[in-house]
Amino acid sequence: MLMKSIAAGLAGTALLATVAFAQSPTVTTDKAAPAATATTTTTTASGQWRTSKMDGLKIYNEANENIGSINDLLMDKNGDVKIAVIGVGGFLGVGEHLVAVPYEKLKFVNEAVAYTGTKPAATTTTGAATGTEKTTTTTATTASTTSKWYPDHAVFNATKDELKNMPEFKYSE
């Protein structure tokens, strides 16, 4: 008796499922079905920068003075970056003055900033019959970084004081 009940239950379930499947509406259109649009993406992104790595990127002026860092990048509806929000001054974000500058005014550099300070000099001493000459040579070194995901720094033609005097950028809500 138990087997008859189980068999009847399974048959009833199968019958209801078949009826429900047969009643599902089919769509008829006059147009042909659109072809599946597949977007092709590459698995490598040579020459591209990650925007997540641009946050905090240091900005220098032409005199190699650190004048701030990128806090945000603002883009239009087409996805083109239009504005860089730069943080000037402050400490760990406290007291920082935010300014908006046109993105195209930033020049991105892949090499490290040239160190122009003094370091222990290499001294060469040459002796002659009449006296001694000393020649001091100081060389500036730059370390090259070859990061493929973000530049080393950006250059903007302004001083830190000029940026601090610009109108403060505020996010509208």
Side-chain angles (χ1 to χ4, degrees):
M1 186 73 173
L2 182 61
M3 286 303 261
K4 287 185 181 183
S5 298
I6 292 174
L10 288 175
T13 304
L15 183 60
L16 289 173
T18 305
V19 171
F21 182 76
Q23 290 185 357
S24 64
T26 57
V27 179
T28 57
T29 60
D30 296 347
K31 299 184 236 175
T37 57
T39 58
T40 58
T41 58
T42 61
T43 57
T44 60
S46 178
Q48 303 296 315
W49 291 332
R50 293 177 58 187
T51 57
S52 61
K53 296 289 186 180
M54 300 294 274
D55 187 25
L57 188 73
K58 292 185 182 204
I59 300 183
Y60 295 84
N61 59 14
E62 276 88 15
N64 288 338
E65 299 169 331
N66 185 347
I67 58 173
S69 63
I70 294 178
N71 276 26
D72 209 348
L73 296 174
L74 306 178
M75 66 178 90
D76 63 11
K77 292 180 181 181
N78 293 328
D80 298 323
V81 177
K82 296 295 183 181
I83 295 173
V85 179
I86 299 174
V88 184
F91 180 71
L92 296 175
V94 178
E96 191 171 48
H97 181 74
L98 298 179
V99 295
V101 299
Y103 184 76
E104 66 269 3
K105 297 287 184 183
L106 294 175
K107 177 184 164 195
F108 294 95
V109 181
N110 285 326
E111 281 90 33
V113 176
Y115 178 70
T116 57
T118 58
K119 68 174 191 175
T123 304
T124 307
T125 305
T126 56
T130 58
T132 305
E133 283 184 31
K134 281 193 173 185
T135 307
T136 304
T137 308
T138 303
T139 57
T141 59
T142 54
S144 177
T145 59
T146 57
S147 170
K148 64 179 185 177
W149 294 112
Y150 56 95
D152 181 75
H153 67 280
V155 176
F156 184 69
N157 189 17
T159 64
K160 189 177 273 193
D161 290 333
E162 289 173 337
L163 287 176
K164 284 182 180 179
N165 290 331
M166 288 177 68
E168 186 171 6
F169 175 79
K170 297 197 185 261
Y171 293 96
S172 61
E173 295 183 34

